[in-house]
Amino acid sequence: MIEAMDISVTKAETSKLNDLNLENLPFGRYFSDHMLEADYENGEWKNVEIKPYQPLLMSPSLAALHYGQAIFEGIKAYRDPQGKAFIFRPIDNFRRFNISAARMQMPEVPEELFMEGMRRLVQLDKSWIPSQPDHSLYIRPFMFSSDEMIGVRPSETYKFMIILSPTGPYYAAPMRIYVEEHYVRACAGGIGYAKAAGNYGSSMLATAEARKKGYDQVLWTDAHEHKYVQEIGTMNVFFVIGNKAITPDLEQGTILNGVTRQTVITLLQEMGIEVEERPLSIDEIIEAYQAGTLKEVFGTGTAATITLIRELKYKDTVLSFDTDTWKVTTQIKETLNNIREGRSEDTHGWMWPV
Ligand SMILES: *Cc1c(COP(=O)(O)O)cnc(C)c1O
């Protein structure tokens, strides 16, 4: 249980904060003073430590580097106007982490290790949570196989870690998106629903090619027909068509079950907008655009929060939008930011006090 969990804490002698201004930091480049590390061995988690952020010593034969048993999460901590620290819906990330672990044949991380470890680490590095609007402390829990042996089989040892990175706004500008119909991110039966490292390695070539053509990211389509849309980069995607919002469903296990996606579904419904989770084809999207009923398109994710999509390119068709006139996306973004930054009441119990 939580009380029984032994975490040894070694504090850093000096804080790196003395040399850093937390305003407008780029995403994921700076790390706080401490990190959490735990080892899985002989069927149990042990050596739970919070210690100064530092490099790991590892063997070149480390299993994760060869066969990719590696998963992660992305969570954010905020400060309310009174300066109190909160973490947004971390229990949902904890549950998803173990879903990813199960798919990758990795051990479950106990709730007290994940949640209490995170709480103590964030508490210790609380002064790293920026207080400017759109800023936050990004929390990165991750696990990887740590056997030092190059044989293809599930590792017997693992490391679970948490590191913290203060961050400013992620993708600030509305994006131009290339609808991908050659490369594939995920197929039914695959690992699309897991936040597994391999999903990102395999997506980089498609994204690089889209960038060369002048786009920011790709919108993935299904592996079978390249007909149904899936998600964008590290974001789930919503299409406001008529007075409904439509987002791809999770049935096939090809897309990540985003915590921001779930949150936005709830907020849209509370705004009186009907939400449909169902297969959505690129043809239906283009038809709605041509009929003038496709009003807004946006991505959702912890890192980026809500990202406006100003252009979609599919074959020779370009769908472009004047995002300045958008109402739904703007309202969702504002509502969500107000809850996360403590300016409006948290009626759902989403903010977890540190
Ligand atoms: C993390 C992630 C998301 C967004 O999930 P959130 O829980 O909202 O942060 C969406 N798609 C992919 C592929 C992701 O890795």
Side-chain angles (χ1 to χ4, degrees), residues 75-81 84-92 115 118-119 129 135-137 139 259 263 267 335-354:
I75 309 173
K76 277 181 172 175
Y78 299 85
R79 240 179 231 291
D80 74 4
K84 277 193 71 183
F86 291 87
I87 303 178
F88 188 74
R89 303 190 73 169
I91 193 80
D92 297 281
M115 299 296 287
M118 176 172 59
R119 186 206 295 275
I129 310 176
H135 288 60
S136 55
L137 182 67
I139 304 169
V259 177
T263 304
L267 295 178
T335 308
L336 184 53
N337 285 343
N338 283 342
I339 297 172
R340 301 218 268 200
E341 292 166 30
R343 286 184 300 270
S344 49
E345 202 195 333
D346 168 30
T347 54
H348 306 88
W350 286 337
M351 304 303 291
W352 191 74
V354 172

Side-chain angles (χ1 to χ4, degrees), residues 224-238:
H224 195 57
E225 301 173 88
H226 289 299
K227 181 172 168 191
Y228 294 97
V229 301
Q230 294 179 335
E231 57 182 325
I232 297 175
T234 56
M235 300 185 292
N236 294 113
V237 65
F238 286 76

Side-chain angles (χ1 to χ4, degrees), residues 176-328:
R176 297 176 69 223
I177 301 294
Y178 184 82
V179 182
E180 183 60 54
E181 35 158 8
H182 173 63
Y183 297 111
V184 166
R185 175 183 178 276
C187 58
I191 62 167
Y193 68 90
K195 224 168 165 77
N199 279 329
Y200 305 85
S202 75
S203 71
M204 287 179 190
L205 178 59
T207 310
E209 290 185 9
R211 292 237 164 96
K212 260 191 234 151
K213 295 178 196 136
Y215 296 87
D216 300 297
Q217 281 284 351
V218 303
L219 170 57
W220 297 103
T221 54
D222 74 280
H224 195 57
E225 301 173 88
H226 289 299
K227 181 172 168 191
Y228 294 97
V229 301
Q230 294 179 335
E231 57 182 325
I232 297 175
T234 56
M235 300 185 292
N236 294 113
V237 65
F238 286 76
F239 294 81
V240 180
I241 299 180
N243 48 16
K244 287 181 186 166
I246 304 168
T247 191
D249 63 88
L250 308 170
E251 297 298 306
Q252 300 276 314
T254 50
I255 62 175
L256 222 275
N257 181 2
V259 177
T260 321
R261 174 185 181 278
Q262 282 306 332
T263 304
V264 165
I265 289 174
T266 303
L267 295 178
L268 284 166
Q269 287 165 340
E270 286 174 0
M271 277 167 65
I273 294 168
E274 191 183 326
V275 181
E276 288 180 0
E277 295 175 67
R278 62 168 172 83
L280 177 61
S281 71
I282 189 70
D283 294 338
E284 180 180 346
I285 293 166
I286 292 172
E287 271 167 40
Y289 178 81
Q290 286 165 349
T293 54
L294 173 55
K295 295 180 184 146
E296 306 182 24
V297 186
F298 61 92
T300 67
T302 297
T305 68
I306 307 287
T307 301
L308 286 65
I309 308 299
R310 69 176 167 96
E311 189 179 310
L312 284 172
K313 160 110 171 141
Y314 174 68
K315 297 189 199 282
D316 294 329
T317 308
V318 174
L319 318 188
S320 63
F321 303 91
D322 177 6
T323 56
D324 290 340
T325 64
W326 287 7
K327 302 239 159 54
V328 177

